Structure formats: structure tokens, C-alpha cells
Amino acid sequence: MTQLQQLTEEIKGWIYEAGEKIKDSFQKADLVVDTKSGRTDLVTEMDKATQDFLSQKIMAYDPNAKIMGEENGKDHLADLSGRVFIIDPIDGTMNFVLEQENFCIMVAVYEEGIGQLGFVYDVMKDEFLYGGSKTGVFCNGKRVTAPEDKTLAAGLVGMNHVMYQRNDYHVQEIGDIAMGVRMSGCAGYELIDLALGRRVAYISRLAPWDYAPGGVLIEALGLKMSNISGTALQLEGREVFLAGTPNAYAECLKLANG
């Protein structure tokens, strides 16, 4: 077993354990929910506890690793040198709070600024994508092959609902060409669907922990991603994110910047 394969198995175990803790939290009647930037930007005690749990596992495994995470003041790193773990403890917190489904635990592993491994776990559906370009991509133990390179007109597009309402970057026109538009409120959910061929493109405003884990997976499968202008994502702050099959990505990029 290679070092990356060994690390993959370690992280899978941590994430499965974290998922069980989250499911157990549904039995509590007093889940503490706070807001961050506004009333729709939610954070719960489970977001914070899950990130702390994963961080403790990481530091016990590799004390020299760096951690970037959405919560607990870890949302910025001065540089990406060495081994960096990027964590989104509960991606889709509003779904977690209001629906108790359609949320993911996500982790990425970067080495010297290059994505090596990605993990996206849809907790309630028990659908777990993990791997990278050097190990292959797997879904619940079964190897995932590259999805068909469909055109925009041949599939569904995931979108941010505010961008769609405002028609930012001509996304309504993009939606008109696609077979339809879907708005799940969870980047991990959308990137799983993209990797498995259930979407042809995804457009949203995302932070690094939203796109880094799934980004490693989709790029390993030959899909494309960048910011909306076509330049490389910076792993710093929020950016307008675009990903898709090579055909759909190129069409969206042209329409968005036309």
C-alpha cells in the first residue's frame, strides 16, 4: 500500500466516524445554531465540533501538517507549503439544520499547493467519493470512471440561487440552454453529481473549503474547473466557481464572459 493509499484509508475512517457523530446529534433537542455574516449564513455547534474532531485526528497523524477550515478561525493560511488539509466540516449547514439531509463532510489534502486527495461524504445518503489522480477516484469502494463529455444542452447545471435570481454572468441564459437548473445549497452534493455524470456543470460563489475537496476529484476524472473568468482558483477568499465536463465548461465560460 502506498503512502497516499494509507492516508486515504486513515481519512476515510475519520470522516465515517465524524458522520456518525453528526447523525447522533439529530437526537438532541437543543442543537445550538448561530449566524455568521447574516441570517442565512448559519453555523452550528456540530460544525465547530466536527472541525475540531478532524483537526485532532490530523494533528495526531501528522503534527507538521497545516489546516485550513471554515470554522474556528482557521479560514486563512499565509502559504500552502508542505502538507495542507482543507476541511469543510458540514457543507450545506442550512440543509443540515432545516432538512437533516443534503449536506456533506469534506476534506482535501494538498502537497506544496497541489491537490493530492479529495473526500466528499454525503452523510445521510451514505455516498462517499474519495481519491485523487494518483490513486484513482472511488465511490463507496467502487472505482469511478470519467463521466461522458456531454454538452451543456445534454444535461443539468447546478447553480447558486442568488446568482440565478440576479442573472450574474448570464447564468439564466446558461440555464436556458441546459436541460434544467438545480439548486441544492451544497457544493459537495453538486460536485459528487458532477463527478458521477449527474450534472454537466456547476456555477456558484465558493470558498476554498467548498471546492478544494471535490475539485481534486473532478480534475482527476478529467473535468474542468476555474474561476468564472477562466483563471486558476486561488484557494483564498470567495470566488465565482465554474466546473463542468470539458464541453459544457467551455460553453459556460464563453457565455459567462460574453
Side-chain angles (χ1 to χ4, degrees):
M1 184 180 289
T2 68
Q3 186 180 31
L4 278 180
Q5 288 171 328
Q6 194 172 38
L7 181 57
T8 298
E9 292 306 308
E10 285 282 345
I11 296 172
K12 282 169 57 186
W14 305 340
I15 291 174
Y16 275 128
E17 189 174 349
E20 290 305 308
K21 291 178 182 291
I22 289 172
K23 284 187 278 190
D24 287 345
S25 76
F26 291 143
Q27 309 306 314
K28 295 175 62 177
D30 58 345
L31 179 69
V32 178
V33 182
D34 295 316
T35 59
K36 293 189 282 189
S37 63
R39 73 179 186 91
T40 61
D41 187 9
L42 304 182
V43 61
T44 73
E45 59 185 331
M46 282 308 300
D47 291 81
K48 298 172 183 178
T50 301
Q51 183 166 307
D52 283 345
F53 170 79
L54 292 170
S55 297
Q56 289 164 8
K57 292 290 189 181
I58 290 165
M59 296 315 295
Y61 182 85
D62 183 357
N64 296 316
K66 297 174 184 175
I67 296 173
M68 179 193 290
E70 181 173 12
E71 312 302 342
N72 303 335
K74 292 186 175 293
D75 57 350
H76 171 75
L77 285 176
D79 66 79
L80 296 173
S81 61
R83 178 180 284 170
V84 176
F85 288 78
I86 302 175
I87 305 171
D88 194 338
I90 300 179
D91 177 54
T93 300
M94 188 180 294
N95 296 348
F96 167 67
V97 172
L98 300 179
E99 300 178 330
Q100 296 191 349
E101 63 179 355
N102 299 326
F103 62 89
C104 297
I105 301 172
M106 308 200 297
V107 175
V109 181
Y110 273 64
E111 300 272 5
E112 304 299 342
I114 299 172
Q116 300 294 329
L117 294 171
F119 302 81
V120 181
Y121 181 39
D122 184 329
V123 175
M124 303 311 291
K125 194 184 288 185
D126 192 27
E127 191 167 51
F128 197 169
L129 261 72
Y130 52 87
S133 60
K134 295 179 181 177
T135 62
V137 175
F138 297 83
C139 179
N140 294 357
K142 183 178 180 180
R143 190 166 190 129
V144 177
T145 57
E148 183 183 347
D149 185 13
K150 292 182 178 179
T151 63
L152 181 59
L156 299 170
V157 178
M159 283 192 190
N160 173 289
H161 79 282
V162 175
M163 290 182 66
Y164 190 77
Q165 287 172 335
R166 297 174 178 171
N167 196 26
D168 294 341
Y169 299 98
H170 308 288
V171 293
Q172 290 180 7
E173 289 90 330
I174 290 170
D176 287 344
I177 294 171
M179 293 288 288
V181 174
R182 297 292 182 266
M183 301 174 189
S184 69
C186 177
Y189 183 96
E190 295 293 344
L191 291 168
I192 286 176
D193 281 350
L194 193 55
L196 297 180
R198 301 191 293 232
R199 299 278 191 274
V200 294
Y202 175 46
I203 303 171
S204 189
R205 296 186 188 276
L206 302 180
W209 43 83
D210 295 316
Y211 63 74
V216 172
L217 299 172
I218 65 169
E219 288 197 321
L221 292 169
L223 291 104
K224 302 290 187 182
M225 72 173 187
S226 69
N227 66 28
I228 199 70
S229 67
T231 57
L233 295 154
Q234 297 301 303
L235 289 172
E236 175 66 33
R238 287 196 174 271
E239 298 182 73
V240 180
F241 173 89
L242 167 63
T245 65
N247 276 323
Y249 168 87
E251 292 175 82
C252 289
L253 191 63
K254 183 177 180 180
L255 288 161
N257 294 281

